[in-house]
Amino acid sequence: MKRQDMIDEIREYSGFWDVIIIGGGATGLGAAVEASSRGYKTLLLEKYDFAKGTSSRSTKLVHGGVRYLQQGNVSLVLEALRERGLMIQNAPHLCRNQSFIVPNYDWWGGPFYGVGMKVYDMLAGKLGLGPSKILSREETMKRIPTIEPGGLRGGVIYYDGQFDDSRLAINLAQTAQEQGGTLVNYMSVDGLLKSNDGMVTGVKATDTLNNETHEINGRVVVNATGVFTDSVLKMDDPASLPMIKPSQGIHIVLDKEFLPGDTAIMVPHTDDGRVLFAVPWHDKVVVGTTDTAVDAPDYEPRALEEEIEFVMTHAARYLTKDPEKKDVRSIFAGLRPLVKPPDDKGTAAISRDHTLIVSESGLVTITGGKWTTYRKMGQDTINQAAIVAGLENRDCKTENMRIHGWLKNADQSDPLHLYGSDAPSIRKLYKKDPELEKPLHPELPYIKAEVIWAARNEMAMTIEDVLSRRTRALLLNAKASIEMAPEVARLLAGELGHDEAWQLEQVDTYTKLAEGYTFGLSQPHLTLNK
Ligand SMILES: Cc1cc2nc3c(=O)[nH]c(=O)nc-3n(C[C@H](O)[C@H](O)[C@H](O)COP(=O)(O)OP(=O)(O)OC[C@H]3O[C@@H](n4cnc5c(N)ncnc54)[C@H](O)[C@@H]3O)c2cc1C
């Protein structure tokens, strides 16, 4: 997957693309795989990098949504559980079965959640990942030795999926390209082309790496811009009313010692009625999340002090060792693209289901939903887009389509296992040049060859692309990632033909960004209410 080849395809083709997709997050990429695999001539344009938005900032769960079951939204859970099964089947190198325990500190918790989880198992049917079970206090403590023992009565174990969100995004881009699609990062859509009768006929886009502009014709344009949906709707109709209510969720990342073993903790009802997870991920523990309404979308949302305090306090409540500021390796925030109900209730009451609309101009907008349902969202979108564009009706092929890198039973102890079937090619790089086998940082598992691989095959253009989304260094240990930046800049510059000034500017930009994932020096001390 090479960016220059993609740009050349745009330059050389002046006809009408069948489908143009704006946005390279889970939703846009799912639509791109769907459209290209049906044989439609497909173009996806992403303003920054693939998964730069919400799609690299999730809790990393492939789930039916136990919480929606609590809300009685059975059809939503049914659909997500089916997609959960397909995601694990189609990208087994990135998605895996994860056991969760709901710890019970009340007498009624075991039976109550035990029954709920049986319903969850039943809805999953033959795509279930394992039967849930009520556990005694001893069994719960055996599985989670660091669970807070005071008042613990037992737990309920159940199974859901877990994955690496931005790695899946990159692999989806590669899959779409292998199916004939064209995908470009750092290409911002700034306006829509329209015919005299007001129908959308394409997009105006700017290559943000060299400011070159393009006018690109399309039979249908799909708006898959997540929390930025309203900005594209405004390009179509400046008078359009906002439909997105962004809701922020944050996570903190701790070392594995806080939750050793393979089992995650799920707290279905925190003080303010939210769901909280502590999930093992890449030899660390991800704890979150929150649900805070924010006024406007942002490309680099930052955790609020009260959100950090909320997550830290709850982590301390359920874990024997209370995390302190110095234990937090990274803090990351993401924005849910929730669709506003007409009467504008609070964010927790808003549907997590996806919304598909066709504007009078023919612009197709897809938003809401979740990572787990990206494939189904893509299928629904392209069904609709094909009608709008008058394309020949073609069947969906993605249900059983293997995602790039597909590899079953990859050896989890191999640090390159997330690359699936690409791992041998990365090994080849360092067999040829042993310098590339050297680690980029003693505290993280990444080696120099991964930077070369990301530049040559995964369209990484900046340090941030490599450290945040090709590897997950920024999310796993922000401080270590800052220390890795100069070497990543040097390796990238060698691959992409940049000079020393570029490297210095990149390191500076990255350092400023990554500092926002740490407790800044000005961050006031947290008081924990255990
Ligand atoms: C805190 C949190 C936790 C979550 N956890 C989970 C979970 O565990 N499991 C799960 O299934 N789901 C989860 N979700 C939901 C899931 O992450 C989102 O539903 C999904 O990532 C949204 O993807 P998207 O493609 O719609 O949006 P985005 O990922 O935000 O992508 C939109 C893209 O559009 C691009 N764009 C915007 N404007 C333009 C333009 N003018 N031109 C070109 N490109 C443009 C942006 O740069 C961006 O990359 C979570 C969400 C949050 C916030």
Side-chain angles (χ1 to χ4, degrees):
M1 196 168 66
K2 300 208 185 320
R3 188 171 185 274
Q4 192 51 51
D5 294 350
M6 308 282 192
I7 301 274
D8 290 345
E9 282 171 37
I10 294 179
R11 282 202 194 119
E12 285 158 19
Y13 187 70
S14 57
F16 276 75
W17 295 77
D18 287 334
V19 183
I20 298 178
I21 297 158
I22 314 173
T27 308
L29 290 164
V33 173
E34 186 69 38
S36 53
S37 62
R38 291 192 199 186
Y40 299 141
K41 189 166 175 63
T42 305
L43 175 65
L44 178 145
L45 305 173
E46 162 56 48
K47 183 171 187 167
Y48 291 97
D49 185 29
F50 305 118
K52 161 76 181 177
T54 308
S55 297
S56 56
R57 301 158 188 271
S58 77
T59 313
K60 331 297 180 200
L61 302 181
V62 191
H63 61 163
V66 174
R67 177 166 118 157
Y68 313 132
L69 198 59
Q70 276 178 320
Q71 295 168 350
N73 202 337
V74 174
S75 63
L76 182 59
V77 178
L78 253 181
E79 179 176 278
L81 284 172
R82 181 163 188 278
E83 292 302 317
R84 177 187 76 173
L86 296 179
M87 218 163 131
I88 293 175
Q89 168 197 292
N90 297 336
H93 57 302
L94 291 173
C95 310
R96 61 185 189 89
N97 193 340
Q98 171 69 58
S99 55
F100 291 77
I101 288 184
V102 182
N104 296 316
Y105 293 86
D106 305 296
W107 65 266
W108 52 268
F112 181 77
Y113 292 113
V115 170
M117 292 311 175
K118 280 288 165 220
V119 176
Y120 196 61
D121 292 350
M122 200 184 72
L123 291 174
K126 64 179 182 355
L127 289 173
L129 302 176
S132 61
K133 208 175 125 203
I134 296 181
L135 302 179
S136 66
R137 175 184 153 89
E138 289 65 38
E139 284 169 320
T140 304
M141 291 190 58
K142 200 168 153 209
R143 284 186 177 263
I144 309 180
T146 52
I147 189 104
E148 177 59 53
L152 182 73
R153 290 171 178 261
V156 177
I157 188 166
Y158 75 99
Y159 300 87
D160 244 327
Q162 200 236 21
F163 77 128
D164 186 315
D165 48 11
S166 68
R167 289 278 342 146
L168 183 60
I170 303 305
N171 285 170
L172 285 173
Q174 291 168 310
T175 308
Q177 191 239 342
E178 285 157 6
Q179 295 295 322
T182 302
L183 303 94
V184 192
N185 53 1
Y186 296 98
M187 185 69 85
S188 170
V189 171
D190 310 319
L192 301 174
L193 301 176
K194 289 204 171 178
S195 61
N196 290 340
D197 58 357
M199 299 306 285
V200 173
T201 57
V203 297
K204 292 181 207 165
T206 306
D207 183 336
T208 62
L209 300 183
N210 64 5
N211 290 325
E212 192 180 343
T213 55
H214 302 265
E215 293 208 344
I216 310 168
N217 302 316
R219 294 184 204 289
V220 61
V221 174
V222 175
N223 173 12
T225 52
V227 282
F228 304 96
T229 296
D230 290 336
S231 62
V232 177
L233 288 175
K234 281 237 173 312
M235 290 176 199
D236 179 37
D237 174 8
S240 67
L241 293 174
M243 65 178 280
I244 297 295
K245 196 173 168 82
S247 159
Q248 174 157 297
I250 73 132
H251 298 86
I252 61 168
V253 179
L254 303 170
D255 284 336
K256 192 79 174 59
E257 66 187 56
F258 284 89
L259 187 67
D262 296 331
T263 304
I265 299 175
M266 192 272 222
V267 178
H269 212 80
T270 55
D271 288 349
D272 54 0
R274 296 165 181 168
V275 178
L276 193 96
F277 293 97
V279 191
W281 191 62
H282 296 339
D283 217 28
K284 300 273 181 215
V285 184
V286 174
V287 189
T289 180
T290 52
D291 208 336
T292 313
V294 295
D295 292 336
D298 193 328
Y299 278 97
E300 274 299 333
R302 289 285 172 261
L304 303 175
E305 206 183 301
E306 57 265 32
E307 290 184 298
I308 301 174
E309 174 141 358
F310 174 87
V311 174
M312 297 273 282
T313 301
H314 278 81
R317 197 175 291 171
Y318 291 95
L319 300 172
T320 39
K321 191 173 166 202
D322 298 358
E324 294 175 35
K325 246 167 106 170
K326 67 173 173 45
D327 300 314
V328 176
R329 298 283 166 250
S330 184
I331 308 162
F332 63 95
L335 299 175
R336 294 176 193 87
L338 303 184
V339 178
K340 256 187 201 178
D343 57 352
D344 199 10
K345 297 225 182 75
T347 57
I350 296 179
S351 166
R352 260 68 176 168
D353 211 343
H354 60 267
T355 300
L356 181 60
I357 53 169
V358 182
S359 303
E360 276 175 23
S361 63
L363 176 71
V364 174
T365 295
I366 172 73
T367 194
K370 53 184 176 167
W371 238 121
T372 308
T373 52
Y374 83 91
R375 192 208 63 80
K376 183 67 171 52
M377 291 168 73
Q379 182 180 347
D380 292 353
T381 305
I382 299 306
N383 285 346
Q384 191 60 56
I387 296 169
V388 172
L391 300 172
E392 183 191 325
N393 186 16
R394 295 185 191 148
D395 290 342
C396 164
K397 296 188 184 135
T398 51
E399 278 195 13
N400 297 307
M401 179 181 286
R402 291 179 176 182
I403 306 299
H404 179 99
W406 188 96
L407 186 69
K408 224 174 160 121
N409 303 323
D411 174 6
Q412 301 283 321
S413 64
D414 173 4
L416 296 177
H417 74 271
L418 289 157
Y419 293 93
S421 59
D422 280 340
S425 306
I426 300 174
R427 277 193 279 276
K428 252 190 212 157
L429 289 175
Y430 65 69
K431 279 191 186 128
K432 214 169 146 205
D433 177 2
E435 170 66 20
L436 296 180
E437 197 178 358
K438 289 193 181 148
L440 286 161
H441 197 281
E443 288 169 32
L444 287 170
Y446 303 117
I447 59 171
K448 295 184 182 184
E450 288 172 79
V451 184
I452 306 295
W453 178 260
R456 286 187 195 167
N457 302 287
E458 296 181 345
M459 276 168 74
M461 309 307 294
T462 68
I463 297 182
E464 186 200 332
D465 296 349
V466 172
L467 291 178
S468 179
R469 293 171 292 275
R470 307 306 184 279
T471 72
R472 309 314 306 271
L474 175 61
L475 271 57
L476 296 176
N477 188 333
K479 187 169 162 283
S481 82
I482 293 172
E483 290 160 10
M484 291 154 81
E487 182 57 9
V488 172
R490 191 186 69 78
L491 292 164
L492 267 185
E495 285 300 308
L496 304 175
H498 293 300
D499 59 13
E500 208 170 315
W502 180 86
Q503 294 180 47
L504 290 173
E505 188 272 326
Q506 273 283 307
V507 172
D508 187 48
T509 307
Y510 181 74
T511 303
K512 285 189 186 124
L513 176 125
E515 277 171 351
Y517 288 66
T518 64
F519 280 106
L521 292 175
S522 60
Q523 192 81 32
H525 185 71
L526 288 167
T527 44
L528 299 184
N529 315 309
K530 193 157 183 182

